[in-house]
Amino acid sequence: MSWQAVDRTRVPEEQLGPGLSEAVKEKIRAFFSRYPTKQAAVLPALHIAQDALGYVSLRAMKELAELLEIPPSKVMDVVTFYTHFWTHPKGRKTLLLCRSISCELLGAGKLKDAIRQRLGIGEHETTPDGEYSFMTEECLAACDHAPCLMVNEKMHKCVRPEDLERILADADNDRLDIPRSDLFDAP
Amino acid sequence: MPYEKILTRNVGVPGSTSLKAYQAAGGYEGARKALAMKPDELVELVKKANLRGRGGAGFPAGVKWSFLPPNRDVTYLCVNADESEPPTFCNRVLMESDPHMLLEGILIAGYATRTTIAYIYMRGEFTEQFHIMQRAVDEAYAAGYFGRNVLGSGYDIECYIHRGAGAYVCGEETGLIESLEGKRGWPRIKPPFPAVEGLFRKPTVVNNVETLACLPHILTRGVDWWLALGPKGSHGTKMYCVSGPVKRPGCYEAPLGISTRELIYGPDFGGGMRDGMKVKACSPGGLSMGFLRGDLFPKNPSADKLDLAQDYDELDCKLDFDDTRRYGLLGLGTAAAVVVGEDTDIRDVLVNVARFYAHESCGQCTQCREGTGWMYKIAQRIRAGAGRRYDLDLLAEITTNMGMMPGLSICGLPDGAAWPIRTLVQRFRREFERHIDAQAPGAVEQAIRRVNPAAYELPIVQGRAVAPERGSMSYEHEWSNAAGT
């Protein structure tokens, strides 16, 4: 378990983590016109921030709060509610394994053991070289391809433990086969 | 295929996601027809078609639209593409293969409800699907199907995709609205219903992806064609999902009312079980709707009389809005079947189901937050070999005392959490009891002492460490000192 107890009222300036660049903020501002309130743009803003920084740092939360004109606590409220956002640094690629019933019936448990053994990390942890992070998630809505494993945006289907080596050896294992939209960056 | 493919006609067809391909197949004709009508006529038409929502509750879409207050300037349409119910994936298949069908449905529903902005709330894990949909939205804007003065009708509508970030409860309509407003996805207390006061406190319609995708077909082919499909009260086709150890897991389209057995064994559907296995259990309507016994159990000798108290094969349950209730399920749900083979321990299924709801409960109502976690702990203990017979009664008691049906919760998640666990305990009680009876003597005591070493000195009664009686040796040792007497 990688839970860190942080006294968020007295975090020294140098421990707030990276902040948002002006380009990222501009990207977030482009979403304002879609909603009648600025607060509604918090989810897209967090997606963009996490794509840019790799996680949502405390400084990013503060800056987002300023940008969206809401208290920082409300940003943290949203960050900690949704499982997609990380509050501590993650690796360049995230392995997201489905653990719901269809995948587990077809061997997601074995695959999870294989991943943990191969990478030597547990859930919500990152390999020492900063390449892979690992987490499990409830149903990824690809039960017909169970067990499924996502590497960033790319869904790998019907993954057996013996396929793991092939997936990890492929440097492009997170590249989509279809053209991407540039509204969000690739994580 | 004995059934005509309507919603799934483009599944697996290369190039089907482009606007050109969709228009070549007669796309956006339904929207043109709709825009020539008056909005209220359109609502009446959908009411007449009795299009029941495909998201789980089965509420008629036209009736939902007619709840909107007559005088309003701003109306929002939220498209629920937060498909998180295991093991449902029909919306993903639909958006992957036919994004414009959904967009046309949005345009029709938007016109009927005089929507100003439509938001497609798509779950965060849909990445590939997001890029496909976004591309389709861009194409539709460029072709004039969205934006100002759609197709020269004078009607304005904007359409945006809003990405979620992984929360099951955001599939609940008010949870979705809260999430769209940039808060955590905590469902709201109803009333006011979203139709009166929803997103940004304005009248809002929330519809499922599949419901909206039916609209273009109702308009182009007519209400009579639609009403001829499926049994009375459950019209139209449905995308059935089947997954688990079947030969052909996937999404198949058929009129409502096919049987669970056909979905698993039919050559056009699941194609039978792998390795000649038998079905132990099957949840035919998505996890929340509950489990049925499979054909591992003997057939009911009196075929016309239903007897849920006996261990009979229940795969004859028809998948429509009414017959599922007869079998003690919560409803049709998303019509996504997960099949549990005979080689699976039912205790593993219980743990997985309980964990899902314990993880996804939003934490707003006490009995759901605590109840789901409690059931998960009980399930884990039963699997670890330290179950107690009355744990099964306890599970049954917890499941009857949470949720909307006893009137205790804000949203329907605790009902969905209770139902699979209750039906598992009801229908597989004899198997659970067999496992519990086969436990090593003293397993419960050991499990308790592993958790709490202090319990070593305490007697354990009915699986619970209790304070010793006054006058016993352990009482004199431990408790008299602790009390400071």
Side-chain angles (χ1 to χ4, degrees):
Chain A
M1 192 64 203
S2 53
W3 186 267
Q4 284 176 316
V6 183
D7 178 4
R8 296 193 180 91
T9 52
R10 279 184 292 278
V11 183
E13 189 66 12
E14 65 275 11
Q15 283 177 23
L16 284 177
L20 302 173
S21 68
E22 199 44 50
V24 170
K25 283 184 185 169
E26 206 42 59
K27 215 167 173 179
I28 292 169
R29 282 192 200 103
F31 277 84
F32 286 174
S33 62
R34 296 182 167 208
Y35 309 99
T37 63
K38 279 189 179 174
Q39 186 182 359
V42 64
L43 271 183
L46 286 170
H47 275 291
I48 293 169
Q50 171 150 314
D51 291 348
L53 305 175
Y55 72 112
V56 187
S57 63
L58 286 175
R59 196 187 301 277
M61 288 184 214
K62 276 186 158 180
E63 289 179 354
L64 278 179
E66 217 166 282
L67 202 63
L68 302 171
E69 296 167 16
I70 51 176
S73 61
K74 286 205 171 175
V75 180
M76 180 174 266
D77 191 32
V78 173
V79 170
T80 50
F81 183 81
Y82 297 95
T83 50
H84 179 78
F85 302 120
W86 288 54
T87 49
H88 57 94
K90 65 175 170 61
R92 212 169 61 75
K93 292 175 182 171
T94 312
L95 298 178
L96 189 62
L97 177 67
C98 177
R99 64 176 188 208
S100 274
I101 186 155
S102 294
C103 288
E104 200 165 280
L105 286 174
L106 295 175
K110 281 188 193 128
L111 185 58
K112 182 179 166 184
D113 293 342
I115 292 172
R116 292 177 60 154
Q117 206 168 19
R118 167 70 176 70
L119 298 177
I121 52 172
E123 269 182 65
H124 266 266
E125 288 175 2
T126 306
T127 49
D129 60 355
E131 184 70 5
Y132 286 110
S133 295
F134 172 56
M135 68 183 283
T136 58
E137 181 57 287
E138 296 297 351
C139 197
L140 297 176
C143 312
D144 48 345
H145 306 301
C148 50
L149 174 72
M150 278 180 97
V151 184
N152 280 356
E153 290 195 329
K154 170 81 180 167
M155 172 81 78
H156 293 271
K157 295 164 179 175
C158 306
V159 184
R160 289 159 301 168
E162 54 266 32
D163 299 332
L164 187 64
E165 222 35 68
R166 181 179 51 79
I167 292 172
L168 291 178
D170 181 8
D172 282 341
N173 56 9
D174 62 338
R175 183 174 297 171
L176 290 181
D177 312 326
I178 53 158
R180 293 184 77 262
S181 156
D182 53 0
L183 273 175
F184 296 94
D185 296 314
Chain B
M1 244 357 231
Y3 302 115
E4 191 196 347
K5 288 186 184 182
I6 298 157
L7 300 174
T8 55
R9 62 180 180 195
N10 280 331
V11 173
V13 179
S16 64
T17 57
S18 73
L19 180 60
K20 256 193 197 147
Y22 187 66
Q23 279 175 326
Y28 287 102
E29 276 311 308
R32 270 175 220 280
K33 262 191 185 165
L35 288 172
M37 294 162 76
K38 283 208 179 78
D40 292 341
E41 287 172 18
L42 202 51
V43 175
E44 284 307 314
L45 186 118
V46 175
K47 260 191 193 170
K48 208 176 126 203
N50 193 12
L51 171 62
R52 295 179 72 169
R54 263 51 172 157
F59 195 77
V63 178
K64 205 179 205 175
W65 296 351
S66 60
F67 289 154
L68 290 163
N71 299 317
R72 57 185 195 275
D73 306 325
V74 182
T75 314
Y76 294 112
L77 172 66
C78 298
V79 183
N80 190 343
D82 187 79
E83 183 176 53
S84 317
E85 172 92 18
T88 314
F89 47 92
C90 49
N91 294 358
R92 174 186 64 93
V93 169
L94 194 94
M95 288 189 287
E96 248 172 27
S97 54
D98 232 339
H100 282 286
M101 195 192 286
L102 171 61
L103 292 179
E104 188 180 352
I106 291 172
L107 184 54
I108 295 168
Y111 181 69
T113 55
R114 291 185 274 144
T115 292
T116 37
I117 304 181
Y119 293 107
I120 305 174
Y121 187 98
M122 196 182 267
R123 63 179 301 194
E125 288 84 359
F126 280 168
T127 47
E128 208 170 313
Q129 295 73 25
F130 165 73
H131 296 301
I132 293 171
M133 277 307 294
Q134 185 59 48
R135 207 178 138 82
V137 170
D138 292 342
E139 277 179 335
Y141 261 102
Y145 293 117
F146 289 102
R148 302 217 146 261
N149 193 10
V150 176
L151 303 176
S153 66
Y155 169 61
D156 305 336
I157 181 170
E158 302 287 335
C159 179
Y160 300 118
I161 300 177
H162 185 92
R163 294 184 71 189
Y168 173 66
V169 76
C170 293
E172 205 274 343
E173 57 178 0
T174 52
L176 185 148
I177 287 170
E178 284 281 304
S179 177
L180 244 170
E181 288 185 1
K183 302 169 194 162
R184 61 171 107 170
W186 273 13
R188 289 177 186 169
I189 294 173
K190 291 180 260 187
F193 286 92
V196 180
E197 194 179 301
L199 186 61
F200 306 113
R201 309 199 67 181
K202 293 282 190 292
T204 305
V205 180
V206 185
N207 277 137
N208 184 263
V209 167
E210 207 188 326
T211 317
L212 294 176
C214 293
L215 289 172
H217 303 289
I218 294 177
L219 272 144
T220 45
R221 300 174 72 164
V223 176
D224 297 330
W225 163 81
W226 175 262
L227 289 176
L229 291 169
K232 202 171 179 304
S234 306
H235 300 291
T237 64
K238 177 85 190 81
M239 290 168 82
Y240 293 96
C241 304
V242 53
S243 62
V246 291
K247 284 188 185 136
R248 300 172 64 227
C251 182
Y252 304 103
E253 187 175 3
L256 283 162
I258 67 165
S259 74
T260 313
R261 194 184 307 280
E262 193 180 353
L263 190 60
I264 299 172
Y265 286 101
D268 300 316
F269 300 101
M273 298 290 282
R274 286 182 198 170
D275 310 324
M277 255 194 298
K278 285 201 161 172
V279 181
K280 181 185 263 185
C282 176
S283 163
L287 207 55
S288 301
M289 298 301 130
F291 281 84
L292 296 173
R293 294 188 196 94
D295 55 10
L296 188 64
F297 296 93
K299 258 191 136 36
N300 189 349
S302 57
D304 47 333
K305 199 160 155 279
L306 201 62
D307 189 0
L308 298 179
Q310 298 295 317
D311 280 354
Y312 291 137
D313 172 8
E314 292 165 345
L315 291 185
D316 289 320
C317 173
K318 283 196 173 56
L319 291 169
D320 59 32
F321 291 105
D322 303 317
D323 203 45
T324 42
R325 296 226 168 93
R326 259 185 65 220
Y327 277 84
L329 301 176
L330 199 52
L332 175 67
T334 50
V338 60
V339 185
V340 178
E342 59 181 318
D343 59 341
T344 307
D345 190 335
I346 204 73
R347 293 176 295 176
D348 291 338
V349 178
L350 184 71
V351 170
N352 191 297
V353 172
R355 183 187 56 202
F356 176 78
Y357 292 103
H359 181 258
E360 298 295 351
S361 171
C362 77
Q364 202 177 183
C365 312
T366 312
Q367 87 289 349
C368 171
R369 180 185 66 233
E370 301 298 325
T372 50
W374 190 7
M375 293 196 289
Y376 178 36
K377 281 184 201 160
I378 294 172
Q380 272 182 311
R381 203 180 55 240
I382 292 175
R383 182 171 69 173
R388 305 173 295 208
R389 263 180 173 244
Y390 70 86
D391 276 341
L392 303 172
D393 299 322
L394 189 57
L395 282 174
E397 190 184 325
I398 300 169
T399 52
T400 40
N401 287 306
M402 53 197 278
M404 243 168 155
M405 288 179 183
L408 291 167
S409 68
I410 292 172
C411 79
L413 189 143
D415 296 298
W419 224 262
I421 292 173
R422 181 197 275 182
T423 47
L424 274 176
V425 170
Q426 272 175 356
R427 295 192 153 114
F428 299 92
R429 189 168 183 122
R430 278 168 268 276
E431 188 179 338
F432 283 117
E433 285 180 347
R434 242 191 344 267
H435 284 301
I436 290 171
D437 291 345
Q439 281 165 196
V444 177
E445 282 85 342
Q446 272 183 9
I448 288 170
R449 285 176 177 142
R450 220 173 21 246
V451 178
N452 179 9
Y456 263 104
E457 298 301 324
L458 303 178
I460 288 171
V461 177
Q462 284 208 322
R464 214 180 275 263
V466 293
E469 281 175 34
R470 182 178 285 269
S472 73
M473 212 146 92
S474 61
Y475 180 86
E476 298 300 330
H477 272 290
E478 300 294 319
W479 290 77
S480 54
N481 294 343
T485 47

Short mmCIF file of all heavy atoms in Angstrom, two decimals, chain B residues 173-206:
data_model
loop_
_atom_site.label_atom_id
_atom_site.label_comp_id
_atom_site.label_asym_id
_atom_site.label_seq_id
_atom_site.Cartn_x
_atom_site.Cartn_y
_atom_site.Cartn_z
N GLU B 173 -28.22 8.55 -12.67
CA GLU B 173 -28.43 9.80 -13.41
C GLU B 173 -28.05 11.04 -12.61
O GLU B 173 -27.43 11.96 -13.14
CB GLU B 173 -29.85 9.89 -13.98
CG GLU B 173 -30.96 9.79 -12.96
CD GLU B 173 -32.33 9.94 -13.62
OE1 GLU B 173 -32.40 10.11 -14.83
OE2 GLU B 173 -33.32 9.89 -12.89
N THR B 174 -28.39 11.09 -11.33
CA THR B 174 -28.04 12.30 -10.58
C THR B 174 -26.57 12.31 -10.20
O THR B 174 -25.96 13.38 -10.09
CB THR B 174 -28.92 12.46 -9.33
OG1 THR B 174 -28.86 11.24 -8.59
CG2 THR B 174 -30.33 12.77 -9.69
N GLY B 175 -25.97 11.14 -10.03
CA GLY B 175 -24.53 11.07 -9.82
C GLY B 175 -23.80 11.60 -11.03
O GLY B 175 -22.81 12.33 -10.93
N LEU B 176 -24.31 11.23 -12.19
CA LEU B 176 -23.73 11.71 -13.45
C LEU B 176 -23.83 13.23 -13.54
O LEU B 176 -22.89 13.92 -13.94
CB LEU B 176 -24.49 11.05 -14.60
CG LEU B 176 -24.04 11.28 -16.03
CD1 LEU B 176 -24.35 10.04 -16.84
CD2 LEU B 176 -24.71 12.46 -16.66
N ILE B 177 -24.97 13.77 -13.12
CA ILE B 177 -25.17 15.22 -13.18
C ILE B 177 -24.19 15.93 -12.25
O ILE B 177 -23.55 16.91 -12.62
CB ILE B 177 -26.64 15.55 -12.84
CG1 ILE B 177 -27.54 15.15 -14.01
CG2 ILE B 177 -26.81 17.01 -12.50
CD1 ILE B 177 -29.01 15.21 -13.70
N GLU B 178 -24.07 15.40 -11.04
CA GLU B 178 -23.13 16.01 -10.08
C GLU B 178 -21.71 15.97 -10.64
O GLU B 178 -20.96 16.93 -10.55
CB GLU B 178 -23.16 15.23 -8.75
CG GLU B 178 -24.37 15.52 -7.90
CD GLU B 178 -24.24 16.83 -7.14
OE1 GLU B 178 -23.26 16.98 -6.40
OE2 GLU B 178 -25.11 17.70 -7.29
N SER B 179 -21.35 14.83 -11.22
CA SER B 179 -20.01 14.69 -11.77
C SER B 179 -19.78 15.67 -12.91
O SER B 179 -18.71 16.25 -13.05
CB SER B 179 -19.82 13.25 -12.24
OG SER B 179 -18.57 13.10 -12.83
N LEU B 180 -20.83 15.87 -13.72
CA LEU B 180 -20.71 16.82 -14.83
C LEU B 180 -20.54 18.25 -14.33
O LEU B 180 -19.94 19.08 -14.98
CB LEU B 180 -21.98 16.74 -15.68
CG LEU B 180 -21.82 16.25 -17.11
CD1 LEU B 180 -23.17 15.99 -17.71
CD2 LEU B 180 -21.07 17.24 -17.94
N GLU B 181 -21.11 18.51 -13.17
CA GLU B 181 -20.98 19.86 -12.61
C GLU B 181 -19.61 20.08 -11.98
O GLU B 181 -19.34 21.17 -11.47
CB GLU B 181 -22.07 20.09 -11.56
CG GLU B 181 -23.44 20.26 -12.17
CD GLU B 181 -24.48 20.60 -11.12
OE1 GLU B 181 -24.14 20.73 -9.94
OE2 GLU B 181 -25.65 20.73 -11.50
N GLY B 182 -18.77 19.06 -11.99
CA GLY B 182 -17.43 19.23 -11.46
C GLY B 182 -17.33 18.94 -9.99
O GLY B 182 -16.49 19.49 -9.29
N LYS B 183 -18.20 18.07 -9.51
CA LYS B 183 -18.12 17.67 -8.10
C LYS B 183 -17.89 16.17 -8.07
O LYS B 183 -17.85 15.51 -9.10
CB LYS B 183 -19.43 18.00 -7.39
CG LYS B 183 -19.78 19.47 -7.45
CD LYS B 183 -21.19 19.67 -6.96
CE LYS B 183 -21.69 21.05 -7.31
NZ LYS B 183 -23.13 21.12 -7.23
N ARG B 184 -17.77 15.63 -6.86
CA ARG B 184 -17.72 14.18 -6.78
C ARG B 184 -19.10 13.62 -7.11
O ARG B 184 -20.11 14.28 -6.87
CB ARG B 184 -17.23 13.73 -5.43
CG ARG B 184 -18.10 14.15 -4.30
CD ARG B 184 -17.67 13.48 -3.02
NE ARG B 184 -17.03 14.44 -2.14
CZ ARG B 184 -16.72 14.17 -0.88
NH1 ARG B 184 -16.97 13.00 -0.39
NH2 ARG B 184 -16.14 15.07 -0.14
N GLY B 185 -19.12 12.41 -7.65
CA GLY B 185 -20.37 11.87 -8.18
C GLY B 185 -21.30 11.33 -7.12
O GLY B 185 -21.61 10.16 -7.12
N TRP B 186 -21.74 12.18 -6.24
CA TRP B 186 -22.69 11.75 -5.21
C TRP B 186 -24.11 11.96 -5.71
O TRP B 186 -24.51 13.11 -5.96
CB TRP B 186 -22.49 12.58 -3.93
CG TRP B 186 -21.47 12.02 -3.01
CD1 TRP B 186 -20.57 11.05 -3.29
CD2 TRP B 186 -21.23 12.41 -1.65
NE1 TRP B 186 -19.78 10.80 -2.19
CE2 TRP B 186 -20.17 11.62 -1.18
CE3 TRP B 186 -21.81 13.34 -0.81
CZ2 TRP B 186 -19.68 11.73 0.11
CZ3 TRP B 186 -21.33 13.45 0.48
CH2 TRP B 186 -20.28 12.65 0.94
N PRO B 187 -24.90 10.89 -5.81
CA PRO B 187 -26.28 11.04 -6.27
C PRO B 187 -27.06 12.01 -5.39
O PRO B 187 -26.76 12.17 -4.22
CB PRO B 187 -26.84 9.63 -6.16
CG PRO B 187 -25.66 8.75 -6.29
CD PRO B 187 -24.54 9.48 -5.63
N ARG B 188 -28.05 12.64 -6.03
CA ARG B 188 -28.87 13.61 -5.30
C ARG B 188 -30.14 12.96 -4.79
O ARG B 188 -30.61 11.97 -5.35
CB ARG B 188 -29.27 14.74 -6.24
CG ARG B 188 -28.16 15.64 -6.62
CD ARG B 188 -28.71 16.65 -7.60
NE ARG B 188 -27.63 17.47 -8.12
CZ ARG B 188 -27.78 18.29 -9.14
NH1 ARG B 188 -28.94 18.39 -9.74
NH2 ARG B 188 -26.77 19.01 -9.55
N ILE B 189 -30.71 13.58 -3.80
CA ILE B 189 -32.01 13.14 -3.30
C ILE B 189 -33.08 13.58 -4.30
O ILE B 189 -33.06 14.72 -4.76
CB ILE B 189 -32.27 13.74 -1.91
CG1 ILE B 189 -31.28 13.17 -0.91
CG2 ILE B 189 -33.70 13.45 -1.48
CD1 ILE B 189 -31.33 13.81 0.45
N LYS B 190 -33.96 12.65 -4.65
CA LYS B 190 -35.06 12.98 -5.56
C LYS B 190 -36.35 12.94 -4.77
O LYS B 190 -36.51 12.07 -3.92
CB LYS B 190 -35.11 11.98 -6.70
CG LYS B 190 -33.92 12.12 -7.63
CD LYS B 190 -34.00 11.12 -8.74
CE LYS B 190 -33.12 9.95 -8.47
NZ LYS B 190 -33.01 9.01 -9.56
N PRO B 191 -37.33 13.74 -5.04
CA PRO B 191 -37.34 14.88 -5.95
C PRO B 191 -36.53 16.07 -5.43
O PRO B 191 -36.19 16.03 -4.26
CB PRO B 191 -38.83 15.21 -6.06
CG PRO B 191 -39.41 14.73 -4.78
CD PRO B 191 -38.56 13.59 -4.31
N PRO B 192 -36.24 17.10 -6.22
CA PRO B 192 -36.67 17.29 -7.60
C PRO B 192 -35.98 16.32 -8.56
O PRO B 192 -34.79 16.07 -8.42
CB PRO B 192 -36.25 18.72 -7.89
CG PRO B 192 -35.09 18.97 -6.99
CD PRO B 192 -35.40 18.20 -5.75
N PHE B 193 -36.75 15.83 -9.50
CA PHE B 193 -36.20 14.94 -10.51
C PHE B 193 -35.43 15.76 -11.54
O PHE B 193 -35.71 16.94 -11.72
CB PHE B 193 -37.33 14.16 -11.18
CG PHE B 193 -37.87 13.08 -10.28
CD1 PHE B 193 -38.94 13.33 -9.44
CD2 PHE B 193 -37.27 11.83 -10.24
CE1 PHE B 193 -39.41 12.36 -8.59
CE2 PHE B 193 -37.74 10.85 -9.39
CZ PHE B 193 -38.81 11.11 -8.56
N PRO B 194 -34.45 15.12 -12.21
CA PRO B 194 -33.65 15.88 -13.18
C PRO B 194 -34.48 16.58 -14.24
O PRO B 194 -34.09 17.64 -14.72
CB PRO B 194 -32.75 14.81 -13.81
CG PRO B 194 -32.70 13.72 -12.81
CD PRO B 194 -33.99 13.75 -12.06
N ALA B 195 -35.63 16.01 -14.58
CA ALA B 195 -36.46 16.64 -15.62
C ALA B 195 -36.90 18.03 -15.18
O ALA B 195 -37.13 18.90 -16.01
CB ALA B 195 -37.68 15.77 -15.91
N VAL B 196 -37.02 18.25 -13.89
CA VAL B 196 -37.43 19.56 -13.39
C VAL B 196 -36.21 20.39 -13.03
O VAL B 196 -36.08 21.55 -13.43
CB VAL B 196 -38.35 19.39 -12.16
CG1 VAL B 196 -38.78 20.74 -11.64
CG2 VAL B 196 -39.55 18.54 -12.52
N GLU B 197 -35.30 19.79 -12.27
CA GLU B 197 -34.12 20.52 -11.84
C GLU B 197 -32.93 19.56 -11.87
O GLU B 197 -32.77 18.74 -10.98
CB GLU B 197 -34.35 21.06 -10.42
CG GLU B 197 -33.35 22.11 -10.02
CD GLU B 197 -33.65 22.62 -8.62
OE1 GLU B 197 -34.76 23.14 -8.42
OE2 GLU B 197 -32.79 22.50 -7.75
N GLY B 198 -32.14 19.64 -12.91
CA GLY B 198 -31.04 18.69 -13.07
C GLY B 198 -29.72 19.39 -13.17
O GLY B 198 -29.31 20.11 -12.27
N LEU B 199 -29.09 19.20 -14.31
CA LEU B 199 -27.75 19.75 -14.53
C LEU B 199 -27.79 21.28 -14.45
O LEU B 199 -28.61 21.92 -15.10
CB LEU B 199 -27.28 19.30 -15.91
CG LEU B 199 -25.85 19.63 -16.29
CD1 LEU B 199 -24.85 19.00 -15.35
CD2 LEU B 199 -25.59 19.17 -17.71
N PHE B 200 -26.91 21.86 -13.68
CA PHE B 200 -26.84 23.30 -13.45
C PHE B 200 -28.22 23.86 -13.08
O PHE B 200 -28.58 24.96 -13.46
CB PHE B 200 -26.26 24.03 -14.68
CG PHE B 200 -24.94 23.49 -15.12
CD1 PHE B 200 -24.80 22.83 -16.33
CD2 PHE B 200 -23.82 23.59 -14.32
CE1 PHE B 200 -23.58 22.30 -16.73
CE2 PHE B 200 -22.60 23.07 -14.71
CZ PHE B 200 -22.48 22.42 -15.92
N ARG B 201 -28.98 23.05 -12.38
CA ARG B 201 -30.33 23.39 -11.88
C ARG B 201 -31.31 23.72 -13.00
O ARG B 201 -32.27 24.48 -12.80
CB ARG B 201 -30.24 24.53 -10.87
CG ARG B 201 -29.20 24.25 -9.80
CD ARG B 201 -29.40 25.08 -8.59
NE ARG B 201 -30.63 24.70 -7.91
CZ ARG B 201 -31.05 25.31 -6.82
NH1 ARG B 201 -30.38 26.30 -6.31
NH2 ARG B 201 -32.15 24.93 -6.23
N LYS B 202 -31.08 23.16 -14.15
CA LYS B 202 -31.98 23.38 -15.27
C LYS B 202 -32.63 22.03 -15.65
O LYS B 202 -32.10 20.98 -15.30
CB LYS B 202 -31.19 23.91 -16.47
CG LYS B 202 -30.63 25.31 -16.24
CD LYS B 202 -31.72 26.35 -16.42
CE LYS B 202 -31.16 27.75 -16.45
NZ LYS B 202 -30.63 28.20 -15.17
N PRO B 203 -33.75 22.05 -16.35
CA PRO B 203 -34.38 20.79 -16.78
C PRO B 203 -33.40 19.93 -17.59
O PRO B 203 -32.74 20.45 -18.50
CB PRO B 203 -35.56 21.25 -17.64
CG PRO B 203 -35.86 22.61 -17.16
CD PRO B 203 -34.57 23.20 -16.72
N THR B 204 -33.32 18.67 -17.25
CA THR B 204 -32.31 17.81 -17.84
C THR B 204 -32.91 16.45 -18.15
O THR B 204 -33.70 15.92 -17.38
CB THR B 204 -31.14 17.62 -16.85
OG1 THR B 204 -30.64 18.90 -16.49
CG2 THR B 204 -30.03 16.80 -17.45
N VAL B 205 -32.51 15.90 -19.28
CA VAL B 205 -32.89 14.54 -19.64
C VAL B 205 -31.64 13.69 -19.63
O VAL B 205 -30.61 14.10 -20.17
CB VAL B 205 -33.54 14.50 -21.05
CG1 VAL B 205 -33.93 13.09 -21.40
CG2 VAL B 205 -34.72 15.42 -21.12
N VAL B 206 -31.71 12.55 -18.99
CA VAL B 206 -30.58 11.62 -19.01
C VAL B 206 -31.05 10.35 -19.70
O VAL B 206 -32.02 9.74 -19.28
CB VAL B 206 -30.08 11.29 -17.59
CG1 VAL B 206 -28.84 10.44 -17.65
CG2 VAL B 206 -29.82 12.55 -16.80
#
